[in-house]
Amino acid sequence: MVAGCGKKILKYILFALNIVIFLLALAGVIGCAVFIAKPGIWKDAAKTIEKLEDLDSLVSPSTIRMGLYVLLAASVLILVISFLGCCGAWKECKWLLVLYATALLIILAVEVAAFVVAIVAKEKVENQAKEVLTDAKEKNKSAYEDLENLLECCGVNDGDPCINSTITPEPKIGCYNKILDIFKENYPLVLAISIITVIVEISLVCFACCLCTGLGEEVA
């Protein structure tokens, strides 16, 4: 058993945090499964957001489905890891806690690697984003026109003509830069969420390690 009141408190904190994460991940799994099973639901949900249904044709169903599969896989992964954390803390099992902490460290390493890659390959990512917008504009003009109306932008780059010649926003801001501006406006929120996520992950690893060191012999 864990020696000392401090270790007991640590055990219950680790268990409680993982229960919350487990429930959130479970909700994500159920939500993604429902959307995958019934593709029409996301369109109905989108109608609650002004004009969003106008962009249905801009994103292909296969892209949406792929995104749902990615979210489902991420939710399942978090579900499994949080389950390990719950069991390891409650049962005071060393090997479960070690496995849990290792999984979190791997996720942290992947997140750091993704951040570094995003910085190093920034120009390549920007070019690919512009290529996606250009391709969408050429293949589906009506949907891209809806995007221009929604974001009040024209074409892809600054100065490009609008698909609908009657729309002449001044200055003519390209949709790429408009989307970039929206991202920049929400960047503090995204950064805050990212920092909080990393802090929580590091804290969970520390809690698991501290609890593990306070245990006696490994409980099978």
Side-chain angles (χ1 to χ4, degrees), residues 10 14 18 25 28 65 81-82 87 103 108 130 141 164 198 217:
L10 189 60
L14 184 61
N18 278 284
R65 196 172 184 84
I81 293 175
S82 59
C87 292
L108 275 170
K130 289 182 179 180
K141 292 185 180 297
N164 188 343
V198 171
E217 292 185 358

Side-chain angles (χ1 to χ4, degrees), residues 31-44 64-65 68:
C32 289
V34 170
F35 278 113
I36 291 173
K38 298 182 178 180
I41 292 180
W42 79 271
K43 292 183 180 180
D44 296 333
I64 297 171
R65 196 172 184 84
L68 287 173

Side-chain angles (χ1 to χ4, degrees), residues 12 14 18-19 23 25 44 46 56 58 75 88 108 112 116 134 140-141 151 160 164 176 182 186 195 206 220:
Y12 292 124
L14 184 61
N18 278 284
I19 279 290
L23 293 175
D44 296 333
D56 287 351
L58 189 64
S75 298
L108 275 170
V112 171
V116 172
T134 302
N140 200 330
K141 292 185 180 297
L151 299 182
D160 287 351
N164 188 343
Y176 171 78
I182 294 174
N186 294 279
I195 292 175
C206 292

Side-chain angles (χ1 to χ4, degrees), residues 19-35 68 71-72 74-76 78-79 82:
I19 279 290
V20 173
I21 296 171
F22 179 86
L23 293 175
L24 291 174
L26 182 61
V29 170
I30 295 173
C32 289
V34 170
F35 278 113
L68 287 173
L71 288 175
L72 178 61
S75 298
V76 170
I78 295 172
L79 192 71
S82 59

Side-chain angles (χ1 to χ4, degrees), residues 7-197:
K7 291 294 190 298
K8 283 288 185 183
I9 294 175
L10 189 60
K11 165 186 172 178
Y12 292 124
I13 290 176
L14 184 61
F15 178 78
L17 288 174
N18 278 284
I19 279 290
V20 173
I21 296 171
F22 179 86
L23 293 175
L24 291 174
L26 182 61
V29 170
I30 295 173
C32 289
V34 170
F35 278 113
I36 291 173
K38 298 182 178 180
I41 292 180
W42 79 271
K43 292 183 180 180
D44 296 333
K47 291 179 182 179
T48 60
I49 304 176
E50 185 182 4
K51 295 184 180 180
L52 189 58
E53 68 273 15
D54 296 335
L55 302 181
D56 287 351
S57 55
L58 189 64
V59 182
S60 65
S62 60
T63 301
I64 297 171
R65 196 172 184 84
M66 181 60 69
L68 287 173
Y69 278 122
V70 171
L71 288 175
L72 178 61
S75 298
V76 170
L77 178 63
I78 295 172
L79 192 71
V80 172
I81 293 175
S82 59
F83 180 75
L84 289 176
C86 289
C87 292
W90 190 257
K91 294 294 184 179
E92 300 179 7
C93 181
K94 269 189 175 182
W95 72 268
L96 280 177
L97 289 172
V98 170
L99 185 60
Y100 170 73
T102 302
L104 284 179
L105 287 174
I106 292 174
I107 291 176
L108 275 170
V110 171
E111 290 172 347
V112 171
F115 179 73
V116 172
V117 169
I119 294 177
V120 174
K122 179 182 177 182
E123 185 175 348
K124 184 177 180 180
V125 172
E126 290 177 350
N127 291 335
Q128 288 180 341
K130 289 182 179 180
E131 289 177 4
V132 170
L133 287 174
T134 302
D135 188 59
K137 178 182 176 182
E138 293 174 352
K139 292 183 177 180
N140 200 330
K141 292 185 180 297
S142 62
Y144 202 88
E145 183 179 347
D146 291 334
L147 178 66
E148 291 180 338
N149 293 332
L150 180 64
L151 299 182
E152 297 182 353
C153 57
C154 281
V156 177
N157 300 302
D158 291 350
D160 287 351
C162 291
I163 292 178
N164 188 343
S165 58
T166 61
I167 303 175
T168 56
E170 294 295 341
K172 287 187 176 181
I173 301 175
C175 290
Y176 171 78
N177 283 333
K178 189 71 175 183
I179 293 173
L180 197 62
D181 289 341
I182 294 174
F183 175 78
K184 288 179 179 178
E185 289 175 3
N186 294 279
Y187 179 76
L189 177 61
V190 175
L191 181 62
I193 293 174
S194 301
I195 292 175
I196 291 173
T197 300

